[in-house]
Amino acid sequence: MDEVSVLVPSKIGRADKIKKVTLGPGPLSLEEFIAVVRYNAELVFSPEYIERVSASRELAEKFLAENRKIYGLTTGFGENVSRIIPQDEAVQLQVNILRSHAVSVGKPLKREAVRAVWLMQLLSLGKGYSGIRLGVLSLIAECLNRGVTPYVPGEGSVQYLAIEAQTNLVLMGEGRAWYEGELLPTAEALARAGLKTFIPACKEGLCLTNGANSATGLAAIALYDCAVAVQTSDIAAAMSYEALRGNILACDPRLHSLKEHPNQAACARNIMKLLADSGIAAKYKGVRVQDPLALRSVPQMHGAVKCMVQDASRDILEEMASCSDNPILWPGRDEELGLMGANFDGTYPSGAADILCVAAANLGKLVERRVDKLTNRHFSGYLAFLAENPGVDNGYMIVQYTAAGLLNEIRGLALPSTADSIPTCGNWEDPVSMGWWASRKAWYVGKKIEYIQAIEIMTLCRAFDMMPAGEAPFSSATRAVYEKVREVVPPVSGDRHFGPDIENVFKLVRDGEMIKAAEGVTGTLEF
């Protein structure tokens, strides 16, 4: 596969290290994308980006002067495609599409989701086939750089229209936006940030409400979070082999050489690498004939999940590198023309988002069972629920409930959305991808699986503390992870409010700190 469409193991979990991102000439990496939307990396345009956007606008002006019949440039939208719009009403047409389409409802999207929509629009519209002015894209980039975030209700879209209209309404000074922690009328937010509003020119309202950008943006966040979660899960599984005194022979390379699944063999190698100097793993090798599946099937199940995530990454990363606008203004040497089709369709990224939900459900059911094994005294060999004084202390009893509850929520969200369709626009748009809900579900799921993974690692660190004195030593890699957790979560001496502990470890997982700690010892782990 081309590098644009694969996850790079050495980059997983390291988006927070990127401080500046340049758009163009090549495709943006997943880590660069997350660096902007989550970690506020500065965004700049390359000369190539500026040149191709400017050339495309010149072509749009030429087509307009020639009064060519091109969808959205000289015609109405949707079923109104047969209506020719006089040039003196062209600007009002573009204003109207933003206003009339901004009808999403419900609670507002989180900041990173809104920023993801905008960044995806900059990627797609910046390919040089959309005819949008550079100044409009520069205004979006400056809003991202200066921290202006539109108030965007997140519910009620089949693919993109209402979400993207609601997001870009603020560019005209309408709606509301956050700036420096305050929710303000947009005109005030822009003024405080030192930015001016714009009036959309021909085609620009359509550009700003068109494409698979919303679905792709949220799917990209979900992809990153799922990749971090499953890579972290290899590390947690190695810790589980120690805490539960598992039989490391389940990761023997000879066993995995008989299955034609490279992700499975890679996972087994990761665990062997993580436990290379583990006295515990060496001591208990072969002591039990075989372990429960929660340990024994880790390479097979983690490997399958990684395969699903890699498959999803191809479609999401390829979409990130694409132009999903309609129409396309083609600057051919022999024939310049407007090509009208359906590049806005979101089936690729949203279908991948559905796969990510299924992948997370498969990973979650294994991780949650490992948490249960640790807290279940009938199996673990530790005091009940890893409590200091069982009976008086509840220990991690309800922490396991939280993992179970999150897993149940993931299972409910794993039902595919893209298999459904509800026709819209007077049946002009008859099959619809339903991509927005698919990607929004995956975005939710990515966070939930990271919470479950955080709970397992927090529980493992408690088990490490309860290991009998004089037991064989832990591996250097798992000890590094333990010490990273202990920087934010102190050892347990009795019941306390464990909610903040979960949140602190969750942040470590989300920021890739577990991966960095382990790989500081082992080098890059395979994916």
Side-chain angles (χ1 to χ4, degrees):
M1 284 190 286
D2 193 294
E3 188 171 336
V4 69
S5 62
V6 297
L7 296 171
V8 181
S10 63
K11 295 181 179 180
I12 293 173
R14 289 170 169 81
D16 60 325
K17 302 302 182 184
I18 301 171
K19 304 304 178 184
K20 188 174 183 178
V21 171
T22 301
L23 298 192
L28 205 65
S29 72
L30 179 63
E31 291 72 27
E32 289 174 314
F33 187 90
I34 300 299
V36 173
V37 304
R38 179 173 290 167
Y39 297 109
N40 307 313
E42 180 188 3
L43 192 64
V44 296
F45 295 161
S46 69
E48 294 88 347
Y49 185 98
I50 294 170
E51 181 180 353
R52 66 197 186 211
V53 169
S54 300
S56 183
R57 184 60 199 178
E58 290 177 7
L59 186 58
E61 297 286 356
K62 178 183 178 181
F63 287 170
L64 190 63
E66 295 171 354
N67 202 28
R68 292 204 193 186
K69 189 175 181 180
I70 297 176
Y71 175 75
L73 190 69
T74 55
T75 76
F77 305 121
E79 190 187 14
N80 292 325
V81 63
S82 60
R83 297 178 182 271
I84 302 301
I85 306 300
Q87 289 199 18
D88 61 353
E89 295 180 358
V91 170
Q92 190 61 50
L93 174 70
Q94 304 303 318
V95 171
N96 284 350
I97 191 173
L98 287 170
R99 287 176 177 164
S100 66
H101 287 40
V103 291
S104 56
V105 298
K107 293 182 179 179
L109 294 172
K110 298 293 185 182
R111 184 174 185 270
E112 68 174 15
V114 179
R115 291 172 65 84
V117 173
W118 255 347
L119 182 52
M120 268 310 308
Q121 289 194 311
L122 291 179
L123 292 176
S124 176
L125 299 175
K127 293 295 180 185
Y129 299 98
S130 296
I132 194 168
R133 290 173 295 172
L134 179 64
V136 180
L137 301 183
S138 296
L139 177 56
I140 294 175
E142 283 305 305
C143 284
L144 289 169
N145 286 338
R146 303 188 194 191
V148 176
T149 304
Y151 180 98
V152 181
E155 300 171 33
S157 181
V158 297
Q159 181 163 294
Y160 52 82
L161 289 170
I163 300 299
E164 296 185 10
Q166 193 80 55
T167 302
N168 290 301
L169 196 65
V170 305
L171 301 178
M172 299 194 302
E174 301 181 17
R176 291 183 291 169
W178 277 281
Y179 182 67
E180 294 185 341
E182 290 187 71
L183 182 58
L184 304 166
T186 294
E188 183 179 349
L190 291 175
R192 287 196 193 182
L195 299 172
K196 295 182 180 180
T197 60
F198 89 115
I199 298 174
C202 287
K203 195 179 182 292
E204 290 180 337
L206 178 61
C207 287
L208 294 171
T209 54
N210 198 18
N213 302 304
S214 300
T216 307
L218 264 64
I221 300 175
L223 173 62
Y224 183 83
D225 288 343
C226 286
V228 168
V230 70
Q231 196 71 333
T232 302
S233 198
D234 278 6
I235 298 164
M239 296 174 74
S240 290
Y241 268 102
E242 292 183 313
L244 295 171
R245 303 170 183 85
N247 183 358
I248 195 61
L249 284 172
C251 296
D252 191 296
R254 293 167 293 187
L255 176 68
H256 300 287
S257 70
L258 301 179
K259 294 280 288 220
E260 296 297 325
H261 297 305
N263 299 91
Q264 173 182 323
C267 174
R269 286 192 296 270
N270 282 348
I271 295 172
M272 296 292 280
K273 195 174 186 180
L274 287 157
L275 298 177
D277 62 349
S278 171
I280 299 176
K283 178 180 178 180
Y284 292 98
K285 179 179 179 180
V287 170
R288 283 201 293 254
V289 175
Q290 62 181 22
D291 295 310
L293 290 175
L295 284 179
R296 179 161 41 108
S297 67
V298 164
Q300 290 82 0
M301 293 185 70
H302 283 200
V305 171
K306 288 185 177 185
C307 186
M308 284 187 268
V309 172
Q310 281 282 28
D311 286 347
S313 77
R314 181 183 63 248
D315 289 340
I316 293 169
L317 294 173
E318 287 179 350
E319 188 66 42
M320 285 173 58
S322 301
C323 177
S324 63
D325 199 11
N326 180 56
I328 295 300
L329 305 186
W330 187 258
R333 289 183 179 180
D334 299 327
E335 183 181 17
E336 298 173 327
L337 72 165
L339 296 171
M340 286 144 280
N343 274 359
F344 53 78
D345 181 75
T347 303
Y348 277 107
S350 51
D354 275 340
I355 292 171
L356 289 176
C357 291
V358 174
N362 277 276
L363 179 62
K365 72 183 183 184
L366 184 60
V367 174
E368 184 277 330
R369 286 294 83 196
R370 294 202 299 254
V371 174
D372 178 74
K373 291 290 185 290
L374 286 164
T375 55
N376 185 339
R377 67 182 177 85
H378 299 290
F379 180 84
S380 69
Y382 300 108
L383 296 175
F385 308 111
L386 304 176
E388 188 76 11
N389 183 16
V392 175
D393 294 341
N394 294 290
Y396 282 179
M397 177 194 296
I398 308 302
V399 168
Q400 186 270 327
Y401 284 35
T402 303
L406 289 165
L407 176 58
N408 188 59
E409 291 169 14
I410 290 173
R411 286 170 172 164
L413 293 169
L415 181 67
S417 296
T418 50
D420 199 0
S421 178
I422 301 176
T424 57
C425 200
N427 212 40
W428 189 254
E429 297 168 357
D430 35 3
V432 177
S433 75
M434 311 307 292
W436 174 245
W437 177 228
S439 293
R440 188 154 62 99
K441 286 195 300 96
W443 176 50
Y444 295 157
V445 163
K447 184 176 183 180
K448 293 176 190 295
I449 192 61
E450 286 179 324
Y451 267 119
I452 296 175
Q453 193 55 77
I455 287 170
E456 182 187 17
I457 289 178
M458 187 181 81
T459 307
L460 282 161
C461 290
R462 173 59 178 157
F464 276 26
D465 287 335
M466 298 182 75
M467 191 72 74
E471 181 58 274
F474 299 106
S475 80
S476 301
T478 61
R479 172 61 65 176
V481 172
Y482 169 86
E483 290 172 353
K484 177 60 67 174
V485 172
R486 286 290 171 254
E487 291 176 8
V488 297
V489 174
V492 175
S493 58
D495 277 359
R496 63 174 184 241
H497 182 194
F498 292 122
D501 292 351
I502 297 173
E503 295 293 346
N504 287 334
V505 182
F506 164 76
K507 189 174 188 309
L508 291 179
V509 171
R510 168 154 283 199
D511 292 345
E513 295 301 325
M514 305 291 90
I515 298 172
K516 294 167 195 165
E519 290 186 341
V521 176
T522 65
T524 301
L525 297 170
E526 298 178 71
F527 191 88

